[in-house]
Amino acid sequence: MYHAVATDPNEATRALSVTPEAFAEQMAVLADRGLTPVATAGLAACWRSGRALPERPVLITFDDGYEGVHRNALPVLAKHGFPATLFVSTGWLRGPYDTGGGLDTMLDWDQVRELAAAGVEIGGHSHSHPQLDQVSDATLRFELIHCKEIVSDQLGTVPASFAYPYGYSSRRVRQAVRETGYAQALAVGNGLARRAQGPYALRRVTVRRSTGVEEFERVVEGRAIARAFAGERALTKGYAVVRRVRQARRVVSRSVG
């Protein structure tokens, strides 16, 4: 899971960004080790149909929609012939639906169309990038449906895949994603994706600015992932409890009101 690919990102995106040089080196690792990138929809289609996946499959995904995905990542992907998936927050992209919430320089719709034409799957990532498990049912539906409608209108194809903003979901959120028509969805979890996770809670591993090439090699080989992300997993579990308590309080408050 990538976010910004940029030489000099702003402070809001720096920790979760990678430099163009690091991204190129990481894609070379995938090529050298014989991994086969697949798009998210392709992975899910294989699992649903029972078809065999290609040898040593891996997903390359980008969240939010930063401009560097087009400027810096696309040429590297094209060099290797790698497919990837970009999950866009439609209200963050430059253009007619821009809400001004983008954290750095974002893609415009012409660039998104060029990415799609180059073989990058475009998925949904909500409209305004909220914590979906903390919003009302009405807001949740709006975020999912509006995102899907905008992508469909701009690209002429309906997005099949979704990624949860911040990686957060709940049974209610996953059910809404399914009912909206997304065929599969990705979380974070910092673990390998397994079929047993189901199509609406597939895990990904975060690649950030501090990820060195040796750590990247270990991660893509499936080695020492638990140790590499132990601290982050502990924080995630703790914050999950906090979010559930907050959501329960909101439900009670609405009921009393």
Side-chain angles (χ1 to χ4, degrees):
M1 180 185 69
Y2 291 95
H3 289 80
V5 182
T7 299
D8 189 25
N10 63 16
E11 287 305 310
T13 59
R14 179 170 294 275
L16 284 176
S17 71
V18 298
T19 66
E21 294 78 14
F23 181 77
E25 187 174 28
Q26 290 159 5
M27 293 304 99
V29 168
L30 299 185
D32 292 344
R33 291 179 176 265
L35 278 82
T36 306
V38 295
T40 304
L43 169 68
C46 284
W47 276 348
R48 281 190 170 91
S49 67
R51 296 197 312 269
L53 285 165
E55 190 72 16
R56 307 193 71 199
V58 62
L59 295 182
I60 303 167
T61 68
F62 303 89
D63 282 8
D64 301 343
Y66 298 100
E67 193 270 345
V69 176
H70 181 275
R71 179 189 300 272
N72 299 316
L74 181 57
V76 178
L77 295 171
K79 172 185 174 182
H80 293 287
F82 286 171
T85 307
L86 167 66
F87 296 101
V88 294
S89 293
T90 49
W92 282 16
L93 302 187
R94 289 180 289 149
Y97 309 101
D98 190 351
T99 63
L103 300 180
D104 206 334
T105 303
M106 309 304 292
L107 294 162
D108 63 31
W109 283 103
D110 284 340
Q111 292 171 319
V112 175
R113 281 187 282 271
E114 289 177 12
L115 285 159
V120 175
E121 177 189 352
I122 308 300
H125 197 45
S126 80
H127 183 60
S128 65
H129 203 281
Q131 297 179 26
L132 292 176
D133 61 339
Q134 298 296 299
V135 300
S136 68
D137 288 346
T139 299
L140 172 60
R141 297 287 177 177
F142 171 80
E143 288 287 336
L144 298 176
I145 294 172
H146 198 45
C147 174
K148 184 179 179 182
E149 289 177 341
I150 291 173
V151 173
S152 301
D153 179 65
Q154 290 293 316
L155 302 185
T157 57
V158 179
S161 306
F162 188 83
Y164 305 108
Y166 306 102
Y168 303 151
S169 70
S170 64
R171 181 178 298 177
R172 177 180 70 105
V173 171
R174 293 189 291 274
Q175 181 63 27
V177 169
R178 180 192 296 267
E179 292 174 356
T180 303
Y182 293 101
Q184 52 275 329
L186 301 184
V188 182
N190 286 312
L192 298 182
R194 304 290 190 191
R195 188 171 184 173
Q197 294 160 8
Y200 293 93
L202 292 173
R203 294 181 179 178
R204 294 181 290 171
V205 174
T206 307
V207 185
R208 49 171 53 87
R209 210 164 188 88
S210 60
T211 304
V213 68
E214 291 182 357
E215 179 182 347
F216 184 83
E217 290 173 344
R218 289 194 298 270
V219 166
V220 299
E221 292 288 346
R223 295 185 287 110
I225 292 178
R227 184 169 69 248
F229 293 99
E232 192 163 315
R233 283 180 170 179
L235 290 173
T236 299
K237 288 181 180 178
Y239 195 39
V241 174
V242 172
R243 293 201 317 278
R244 285 197 292 270
V245 171
R246 287 176 179 172
Q247 179 62 19
R249 287 175 177 170
R250 289 190 180 96
V251 171
V252 170
S253 177
R254 287 196 295 269
S255 299
V256 172

